[in-house]
Amino acid sequence: MKNSESKLNIIFIDGLEPQTNVNAMVLGYLFPIGAMLEEYNMSFKVLNVKTLLNYSILGIIDELKKWNFDAIGMTTNSDNIRYVYKICSSIKNQFPKTTIILGGPEASFADEKTLSKCECDVVVREEGEVKLVEILKCISQNRSFEHVRGISFKKNGKIIKNVDAMPLDVNSLPIPQYAILSNKKYWIIPSGVKEDDYTHILDKLRKSYKFFMSGRGCPHNCAFCVEGSLKRKYRAKKVELVKQDLEYFISQTNTDYLIISDDTFTSSPKRVKDMCSMIKEVRQKYRFVWFCEGRIDALSKNPELLSVMYEAGLRKIQLGVESGNQKVLDIYNKNITLEQTKKVINETAKYERLLVHGNILLGNPEETFNEFKDSLNFIKDLIKLSDFKLNISNAYVTPFHGTPLRNNPEKYNIEILIDDFEFVRFGMNDIVCRPKSLSLDELIALKPYTDGEILKCINENIFKYPRNKIIKYFTEPNRVTFHQNGILDTLGRLASFQKYLQIVTRSTTVDSTQIDVIQKSHTLSPLRLWEIEYNKDTNQYNFIDLSGINTIIDGKNAYLWEKATGKNTLYEIFAKADDLSLEYIAEFYQTLEAKMAIVFVEFYNTPQN
C-alpha cells in the first residue's frame, strides 16, 4: 500500500557506512541541498537504513515500495561505495524507471567508471545543490539531462559527460536546513518503528551532530588529499551569512562543542579574525567551545591567530603534521617546514586548555624504515614540546580517487597493491599500497612500532605532568573530553588513578600547594591512598608510585605514614612525634602528595588539644 502523501521528488538513502551507530550519518551534504530543494518547492525524505527492523537490501526495497518517488539519491565515499553498488542494482531491478543519482567523491572522481559498472543513471560531479534541482526538473518535465552542466549520465546505453559547471557562489545559497536533524517530516519512519522511538533516535542524532561548515574547498594541493584535488577553488562564505547559519545550527542542535569542518579554517588571517569576532558574539547567547583545522604555514606566519581563536572559544585544533621528514613533506607538496611545525606546536603549548590533534602517515613515498624512525623521534619531541597536549593518530597512506597518488602512482614510486580497494576494505586502516622504499614486512611493522613508540613516550613522561594540571583537566566541567589528550587518556584508563581521582575530587580535599600548610596544620589531615605492607626484615615500607618509582619509607617517616589515616591533623601528629618539626612533617606529606600517595583532608572544626 502506497503512502498517502503526494509523490516525492527524491528519497535520499543514508546510513550505508559500516559503522553500527545509527547516529553515524553522513548528512553534511544534505543540509544545503535540502534547503535548495525547499526553495524550489521540491519534496524529499531520508531513509536511514540502520533504523530498519529488517536491516537488509530486501528491507530497503520493502520500505521504498510504500512511497511514490521520482528519484533515489545517495552520496558515495570510500566507506560505503561497495554497498551503494549493491543497493543500486536491487533498486534498479525493482524500480526500473526510477532515476538513481549518485554524488560524493567516489562517484564524482570516477564518474564514467561508476556509470559503466553501477546500476545508476546520473553522477553529479562535485557540488550538487543547483545540479540536483535541474536534474529533478528534467525528470518531472520528462526532459533530457544534456543541458545540465557538471553531471555525467547514461542515455540509451551510452555514457555522456556534460561540460563542467561553474563553481557555486556559496553566498547565494539559502541557510542550510538543519531542522533535518530533528523534524520527523524529513524522515521515513520504517514499518514497525514507533513514532516515539523514532523521535528518540532523532533526538540522539541532534545532540550528537556537531559538524558545521563556513566555507568550501581548499587552496592547497597535497598529493594525498581529495579536497585539494577538486577543480573548484576555495570559497569562504561572508561572515554575516555564516552568523545566520551558525545561530540556526546551534538553535537546532544545542551543542556545546562545535566542529568547524572547513578543510582549512586558517587560510585567511583577516577572515579568521572576523570569524572569531562573530563567534564571540554568538557565544554570548549560546554556550559552546569549538574545533577547527589549521595550516602549519599560516599559523607560523601569524602566531597571533591562536590567541584570537582561543579567546573566541577554540579548545581543539587539528594540524596537518603528516611527517617529521622534510623530504616526505616536499614530496606531498605540503609547503611547510619542520621548523614551522615546531614553532606552531610550541605556540599552542602556551594555551592551557587548547588540545592539538595531528596525524602522521605510514608508508610514505621514498622513505626507508630508518628514516621513518627519525621522523617518529621528531613527532615524539613535538608531543613533549606541546606540554603533552598533542594527540597523534596514524594511518597508512591511501591513494583515494582523484588524488595525485591515485592518478600517477609511478611518479611517487608507490605500488597500488589492490585495485579498487574501496570495494573490499577501507584504506586508511589497511595496507593498500606500498612505497618501493619499504618491504611489505617493514610496512606491516610500521603501525605496531608507531603505536608502541608513542605509548612509550607518554608512559615515560606521564607523571612528570604537573599534578594540578591533571586534576584540573579531570574536574573542569566544561573541558573538551580528556580522552583527546594522550597523557590524560592513558591516566584515565588506570584503575589505580580512578581510585585516586574519586578521593581527591571530594569537597573536603585540598591542594596543599595552594595554601600555607603550617598555618592550617590544625585543620589539615593527611590521608594515605594505598595500603602497603611493612617489611619486617628491612624495617621499612616500600611505596611504588604510579610512575613506577620506588620510595622507601622507614624510620620516623614510617610513623608518619602510619598516622596518615585522615583522622589525625598535622598538628596532632606533630604533638606526638619525637624530634620532628612541624615543617619536616608538612614537607614529608607534601612530597607524598606530589607522588599521588596521599591527599589532604580539611576539617572545619578545630580539634581540641
Side-chain angles (χ1 to χ4, degrees):
M1 181 178 176
K2 296 287 186 181
N3 193 285
S4 59
E5 291 188 35
S6 59
K7 191 174 187 179
L8 298 168
N9 291 103
I10 187 168
I11 292 176
F12 295 100
I13 297 180
D14 186 68
L16 300 177
E17 287 67 36
Q19 299 96 331
T20 57
N21 185 0
V22 169
N23 295 322
M25 302 184 190
V26 185
L27 290 174
Y29 74 97
L30 193 52
F31 304 131
I33 284 179
M36 182 66 82
L37 293 177
E38 288 185 329
E39 192 161 276
Y40 283 86
N41 296 314
M42 292 182 174
S43 56
F44 67 92
K45 282 188 179 290
V46 186
L47 171 62
N48 181 269
V49 300
K50 292 190 178 72
T51 63
L52 293 168
L53 296 182
N54 179 5
Y55 180 44
S56 65
I57 290 179
L58 180 60
I60 295 172
I61 297 300
D62 285 344
E63 203 60 50
L64 292 177
K65 285 179 179 178
K66 299 168 186 172
W67 294 87
N68 290 306
F69 51 91
D70 287 329
I72 294 290
M74 285 177 272
T75 189
T76 63
N77 53 56
S78 59
D79 272 349
N80 74 10
I81 189 65
R82 54 193 179 274
Y83 305 115
V84 169
Y85 269 52
K86 293 178 181 178
I87 289 172
C88 283
S89 178
S90 296
I91 292 175
K92 184 56 70 174
N93 182 59
Q94 187 65 45
F95 308 97
K97 295 183 180 180
T98 294
T99 303
I100 300 177
I101 307 166
L102 301 184
E106 281 299 313
S108 184
F109 281 114
D111 54 327
E112 295 181 66
K113 178 180 176 181
T114 301
L115 286 165
S116 66
K117 294 190 174 183
C118 177
E119 292 291 333
C120 63
D121 301 288
V122 184
V123 168
V124 175
R125 305 195 305 269
E126 301 193 16
E127 295 164 308
E129 288 86 350
V130 174
K131 298 167 191 172
L132 187 57
V133 169
E134 291 300 316
I135 292 168
L136 295 177
K137 282 183 180 178
C138 290
I139 294 172
S140 64
Q141 297 168 10
N142 198 26
R143 291 190 287 112
S144 171
F145 302 132
E146 290 175 352
H147 300 293
V148 182
R149 297 170 64 109
I151 72 168
S152 303
F153 66 99
K154 283 188 286 198
K155 182 177 182 181
N156 299 324
K158 181 181 177 182
I159 295 173
I160 300 173
K161 186 167 185 171
N162 291 353
V163 297
D164 289 338
M166 295 295 292
L168 274 177
D169 175 6
V170 295
N171 294 304
S172 68
L173 295 174
I175 296 175
Q177 186 47 280
Y178 296 117
I180 291 171
L181 288 166
S182 57
N183 195 325
K184 291 196 296 291
K185 79 173 186 177
Y186 293 111
W187 297 84
I188 290 177
I189 302 176
S191 300
V193 177
K194 297 179 181 177
E195 282 211 25
D196 287 347
D197 291 340
Y198 211 85
T199 299
H200 179 64
I201 289 171
L202 290 184
D203 190 52
K204 288 175 63 179
L205 170 62
R206 176 184 60 79
K207 290 177 180 178
S208 65
Y209 199 89
K210 304 178 185 302
F211 300 95
F212 175 83
M213 290 192 72
S214 74
R216 296 190 185 184
C218 178
H220 306 281
N221 188 27
C222 300
F224 52 79
C225 180
V226 174
E227 188 65 30
S229 301
L230 296 171
K231 295 178 182 178
R232 62 178 188 256
K233 301 298 183 182
Y234 173 66
R235 290 145 300 148
K237 204 168 188 178
K238 292 179 181 178
V239 174
E240 57 268 28
L241 296 178
V242 176
K243 183 180 182 182
Q244 296 177 19
D245 294 353
L246 179 57
E247 288 183 330
Y248 184 44
F249 180 84
I250 299 291
S251 71
Q252 290 297 309
T253 62
N254 199 30
T255 185
D256 59 0
Y257 179 47
L258 180 75
I259 298 175
I260 299 179
S261 50
D262 299 21
D263 286 277
T264 172
F265 181 80
T266 58
S267 289
S268 166
K270 181 183 183 304
R271 185 171 188 271
V272 169
K273 293 174 184 177
D274 291 343
M275 282 286 293
C276 287
S277 178
M278 177 273 292
I279 290 172
K280 288 169 79 171
E281 290 182 30
V282 177
R283 291 181 77 224
Q284 291 177 2
K285 183 177 181 181
Y286 301 101
R287 188 176 181 180
F288 63 92
V289 296
W290 51 283
F291 158 96
C292 76
E293 295 186 30
R295 281 278 305 187
I296 293 288
D297 51 354
L299 293 174
S300 67
K301 295 171 186 175
N302 304 278
E304 75 281 359
L305 293 182
L306 283 169
S307 175
V308 171
M309 293 189 290
Y310 188 77
E311 289 178 7
L314 178 73
R315 290 300 176 264
K316 185 180 179 185
I317 187 168
Q318 179 168 314
L319 299 172
V321 176
E322 319 305 358
S323 174
N325 184 334
Q326 187 63 54
K327 176 180 71 173
V328 168
L329 295 176
D330 293 341
I331 289 171
Y332 284 141
N333 194 35
K334 283 289 297 180
N335 292 320
I336 62 172
T337 68
L338 297 181
E339 285 305 312
Q340 287 176 325
T341 301
K342 287 174 64 175
K343 178 181 177 181
V344 173
I345 294 298
N346 186 54
E347 192 70 22
T348 64
K350 298 177 183 179
Y351 303 96
E352 184 179 17
R353 291 184 292 163
L354 180 61
L355 301 181
V356 185
H357 181 81
N359 183 61
I360 55 175
L361 295 174
L362 310 177
N364 298 304
E366 307 292 344
E367 186 175 53
T368 66
F369 195 91
N370 285 334
E371 286 175 326
F372 179 79
K373 289 170 67 175
D374 292 338
S375 172
L376 193 54
N377 286 333
F378 176 83
I379 299 299
K380 289 189 285 186
D381 289 340
L382 290 182
I383 292 174
K384 298 171 189 175
L385 192 63
S386 74
D387 194 23
F388 296 92
K389 290 182 291 184
L390 170 62
N391 183 51
I392 291 289
S393 61
N394 61 74
Y396 281 107
V397 173
T398 305
F400 291 111
H401 270 125
T403 63
L405 287 180
R406 181 66 161 257
N407 295 336
N408 195 1
E410 296 81 11
K411 174 183 175 182
Y412 297 93
N413 210 18
I414 65 171
E415 175 189 4
I416 297 178
L417 301 174
I418 305 172
D419 291 333
D420 294 328
F421 59 82
E422 297 90 348
F423 289 88
V424 292
R425 63 181 72 183
F426 176 56
M428 299 193 79
N429 293 319
D430 298 307
I431 294 172
V432 298
C433 70
R434 180 183 71 85
K436 295 180 181 178
S437 55
L438 289 174
S439 70
L440 186 57
D441 286 342
E442 287 176 321
L443 186 59
I444 293 170
L446 281 182
K447 188 166 182 57
Y449 175 75
T450 302
D451 291 339
E453 286 296 302
I454 296 294
L455 183 60
K456 180 181 177 183
C457 173
I458 291 173
N459 285 342
E460 286 176 348
N461 293 277
I462 193 167
F463 289 101
K464 297 176 185 177
Y465 205 61
R467 172 186 173 277
N468 62 330
K469 286 189 178 182
I470 291 173
I471 301 305
K472 185 172 183 178
Y473 271 113
F474 275 89
T475 56
E476 186 176 281
N478 294 315
R479 70 185 188 277
V480 177
T481 50
F482 67 80
H483 72 263
Q484 297 172 39
N485 177 302
I487 287 283
L488 300 176
D489 180 30
T490 305
L491 266 175
R493 295 176 185 176
L494 297 175
S496 53
F497 178 76
Q498 292 170 11
K499 175 185 175 183
Y500 169 80
L501 190 66
Q502 288 174 358
I503 296 173
V504 80
T505 53
R506 292 175 184 169
S507 60
T508 55
T509 59
V510 296
D511 181 354
S512 72
T513 63
Q514 306 298 315
I515 59 174
D516 186 330
V517 174
I518 302 298
Q519 188 176 19
K520 296 183 74 69
S521 62
H522 282 280
T523 61
L524 285 184
S525 176
L527 170 63
R528 63 176 183 260
L529 300 176
W530 319 115
E531 293 299 326
I532 54 178
E533 292 186 6
Y534 185 72
N535 190 323
K536 295 180 180 179
D537 296 331
T538 60
N539 296 318
Q540 63 188 23
Y541 290 98
N542 291 325
F543 174 72
I544 301 176
D545 65 23
L546 296 180
S547 63
I549 297 175
N550 184 33
T551 299
I552 296 175
I553 304 175
D554 57 6
K556 294 178 180 178
N557 288 346
Y559 164 79
L560 297 180
W561 174 259
E562 291 166 356
K563 288 298 181 181
T565 62
K567 298 179 180 179
N568 306 295
T569 67
L570 288 175
Y571 191 83
E572 288 175 324
I573 295 171
F574 161 69
K576 297 179 182 179
D578 295 331
D579 303 325
L580 291 178
S581 68
L582 187 57
E583 289 78 7
Y584 178 90
I585 293 170
E587 183 179 352
F588 171 76
Y589 284 128
Q590 284 183 291
T591 299
L592 291 182
E593 181 191 36
K595 291 176 176 291
M596 300 186 185
I598 69 118
V599 293
F600 283 102
V601 180
E602 185 169 19
F603 292 101
Y604 295 97
N605 54 324
T606 304
Q608 298 297 317
N609 292 327

